Amino acid sequence: DTIYHAHLSAFFLLHLLRFHGVLPDLSRCARCGRTDFTRFTLDTPDFTLYRQHHNGMRTRYKVRVREYLDSHVSYWEVKQKTNCNRTIKARLRAPDSTADGDDLIDEFLNTHVPFDANELEPKLWNRFLRMTLVSKYRPERLTLDVNLEFRWGDDYVTMPGIAVAEVKQARSSPRSDFLEHMRQLHIRPNAFSKYCAGVYMLYDGVK
């Protein structure tokens, strides 16, 4: 089945040392979990989806295959950012992360992406550890991605000591324990894409 959800979100890029003092306070007011991921991200041969994001287009897409390493369950995902600054995600469970040429997958991609499925090809592999904190008091979730690794072909890069935090809210709310901590640390939200970071570190000749 395909799953849709939408949320408002804000990204923060910070060093892990700055987060250590925040985590104990957040853990007291949230349920915690952790998951190890690998992902393949797909794009057109000329990086259309990468350029959409890099150019700040209001409506843009990401296409990827996500594998949960603890359960070895994989999903094809299409992530759409709308011109209303909302994120909509559709996903389809796949038998494994290398599934290719399946009619059901082609139908899924053709339904949710404004490209022919045959135009898309794998462009980047990345792995990271995600900690998730779900608030006990409001419709809010914080994800913290660390140990970021990127690979394509024989090239491999990492982002040691860097945490990518994303606050996801069902609706905009001024009350947020994490956002309050960020204000106290004078850390501003910043746009960040792991796919874009991996592409410009591993590929030559891209914007």
Side-chain angles (χ1 to χ4, degrees):
D1 294 333
T2 301
I3 299 173
Y4 300 89
H5 64 79
H7 55 255
L8 301 174
S9 61
F11 286 92
F12 296 83
L13 196 65
L14 64 157
H15 198 280
L16 278 174
L17 292 177
R18 302 201 72 183
F19 197 79
H20 285 166
V22 176
L23 189 57
D25 287 341
L26 295 176
S27 299
R28 285 192 286 269
C29 57
R31 298 184 297 274
C32 304
R34 54 181 288 168
T35 311
D36 205 0
F37 290 110
T38 64
R39 293 201 301 214
F40 284 95
T41 304
L42 293 85
D43 207 332
T44 64
D46 61 349
F47 289 97
T48 298
L49 304 185
Y50 172 84
R51 288 186 285 105
Q52 284 182 350
H53 195 107
H54 200 302
N55 293 338
M57 291 184 62
R58 299 277 290 177
T59 299
R60 55 184 184 262
Y61 296 84
K62 286 182 183 174
V63 181
R64 59 203 184 194
V65 184
R66 181 202 301 260
E67 181 181 3
Y68 296 78
L69 294 181
D70 54 347
S71 62
H72 300 289
V73 173
S74 299
Y75 290 92
W76 284 79
E77 296 181 342
V78 174
K79 187 176 180 181
Q80 179 190 4
K81 188 72 171 290
T82 73
N83 57 9
C84 297
N85 201 33
R86 297 183 69 85
T87 300
I88 302 173
K89 184 187 295 182
R91 73 177 190 175
L92 174 72
R93 183 166 178 171
D96 58 66
S97 61
T98 59
D100 189 21
D102 187 281
D103 290 341
L104 186 61
I105 294 171
D106 287 348
E107 181 182 358
F108 170 75
L109 294 176
N110 288 328
T111 298
H112 299 289
V113 182
F115 302 99
D116 188 293
N118 294 324
E119 296 181 50
L120 299 171
E121 60 185 26
K123 289 292 190 182
L124 184 74
W125 172 92
N126 77 297
R127 178 175 179 170
F128 56 94
L129 178 66
R130 169 167 290 180
M131 180 182 296
T132 303
L133 294 90
V134 180
S135 175
K136 299 176 182 178
Y137 308 111
R138 56 188 63 92
E140 177 180 291
R141 182 176 63 170
L142 170 68
T143 59
L144 180 70
D145 296 341
V146 298
N147 300 342
L148 274 71
E149 308 172 43
F150 303 94
R151 179 182 288 117
W152 197 248
D154 296 328
D155 296 322
Y156 172 79
V157 293
T158 64
M159 296 179 65
I162 297 297
V164 181
E166 182 182 8
V167 180
K168 301 177 182 180
Q169 299 174 307
R171 59 184 181 276
S172 181
S173 172
R175 298 186 60 194
S176 168
D177 297 300
F178 179 75
L179 294 180
E180 180 57 32
H181 279 294
M182 293 298 97
R183 283 190 286 267
Q184 292 173 4
L185 293 172
H186 305 289
I187 299 176
R188 297 177 178 273
N190 198 352
F192 183 79
S193 162
K194 289 188 284 293
Y195 174 55
C196 286
V199 167
Y200 64 64
M201 287 191 290
L202 290 175
Y203 283 88
D204 295 325
V206 295
K207 183 177 179 182

